[in-house]
Amino acid sequence: MKIICVGRNYVAHAKELNNEIPDEPVLFMKPDSALLRNNDPFYIPEWTNEVHHEIELIVRIKKLGKNIDKKFANRYYNEIGIGIDFTARDLQNKLKDKGLPWEKSKAFDFSAVICPEFVPVESLPDRNAIHFRLDINGKTVQEGNSALMIFSIENIISHVSKYFTLKIGDLIYTGTPSGVGPVKIGDRLEGFLEGHKKFDFLVK
Ligand code: ZN
């Protein structure tokens, strides 16, 4: 399986990092070795001093597809989850300045937190307006709603599948809302999807 991530998919987040609003989805990938499952603790790597949390909605692909038309894209997933796209912001800024690929800052081991259980799309109050949030040490730091995405889930699936064949089990991290910031040792991160807690783990 592969993990495809969308960058800059919420206007307020693109602005907080001084990025332009993209006219097509910004894509990058993480390898399967990036997954952090089962509420396992996250260990800050020794080579960075600034790891940011980015809470994101995750789509799990259920059907093989290539060049998927936007109007059929909703047939390619039926479960939604949440997770964190951990980003070594100090290293990412260095790589961006040099015009180099981001991989080391984005795709490192355990940088892709995934909630233990996904939710069927039919159980959501509105599949086009999915609410999610991240609390750190009991305080809400990021809140998002998929209705505010620059590129909808259907748009993303269609765009991604022009370049990469989607396979069963592939994951798409759909971008983070504003409010990103550093994590520190001892932090407790709790993620909520429509008010229900979906992950809960510690930073070590
Ligand atoms: Zn992200």
Side-chain angles (χ1 to χ4, degrees):
M1 57 80 71
K2 57 189 171 294
I3 304 166
I4 298 148
C5 304
V6 181
R8 305 172 196 170
N9 201 20
Y10 293 84
V11 172
H13 171 63
K15 286 190 175 157
E16 76 181 342
L17 295 183
N18 296 317
N19 289 314
E20 285 171 18
I21 309 303
D23 48 19
E24 58 176 51
V26 174
L27 302 180
F28 59 94
M29 300 233 212
K30 299 191 188 225
D32 58 1
S33 48
L35 284 175
L36 182 62
R37 303 171 189 270
N38 303 318
N39 291 319
D40 286 346
F42 173 74
Y43 289 85
I44 298 176
E46 80 289 349
W47 44 260
T48 173
N49 293 310
E50 192 188 15
V51 174
H52 277 194
H53 53 80
E54 294 190 356
I55 187 159
E56 310 202 357
L57 285 179
I58 308 173
V59 174
R60 201 200 311 268
I61 297 298
K62 68 156 186 181
K63 209 167 112 167
L64 184 79
K66 168 88 185 153
N67 286 321
I68 299 163
D69 193 288
K70 197 191 146 192
K71 62 177 180 287
F72 303 124
N74 62 8
R75 299 180 186 172
Y76 288 80
Y77 73 101
N78 59 359
E79 281 183 317
I80 294 282
I82 50 172
I84 303 257
D85 163 23
F86 273 127
T87 304
R89 196 71 72 198
D90 48 355
L91 179 56
Q92 188 196 26
N93 287 336
K94 261 187 228 166
L95 295 168
K96 272 166 80 176
D97 286 347
K98 292 185 185 163
L100 294 170
W102 294 343
E103 266 78 359
K104 288 195 284 188
S105 67
K106 277 284 196 184
F108 60 89
D109 287 351
F110 310 121
S111 60
V113 176
I114 185 168
C115 62
E117 281 173 11
F118 275 49
V119 168
V121 170
E122 317 85 72
S123 75
L124 296 167
D126 180 352
R127 72 183 292 158
N128 298 310
I130 308 165
H131 178 261
F132 59 104
R133 73 171 211 265
L134 173 66
D135 287 5
I136 299 187
N137 305 325
K139 246 185 77 183
T140 300
V141 293
Q142 283 192 277
E143 237 182 321
N145 192 304
S146 64
L148 299 174
M149 287 177 171
I150 299 170
F151 303 103
S152 67
I153 292 172
E154 280 70 27
N155 260 320
I156 293 168
I157 288 175
S158 174
H159 185 79
V160 165
S161 71
K162 268 202 258 180
Y163 300 90
F164 312 111
T165 298
L166 288 172
K167 294 187 171 180
I168 296 169
D170 284 351
L171 300 170
I172 303 179
Y173 283 60
T174 57
T176 196
S178 62
V180 301
V183 294
K184 57 183 193 314
I185 292 171
D187 282 346
R188 179 180 182 188
L189 275 66
E190 296 167 283
F192 296 82
L193 181 61
E194 298 296 359
H196 302 288
K197 181 147 81 171
K198 302 305 292 178
F199 67 70
D200 183 351
F201 67 95
L202 294 173
V203 175
K204 294 195 170 178

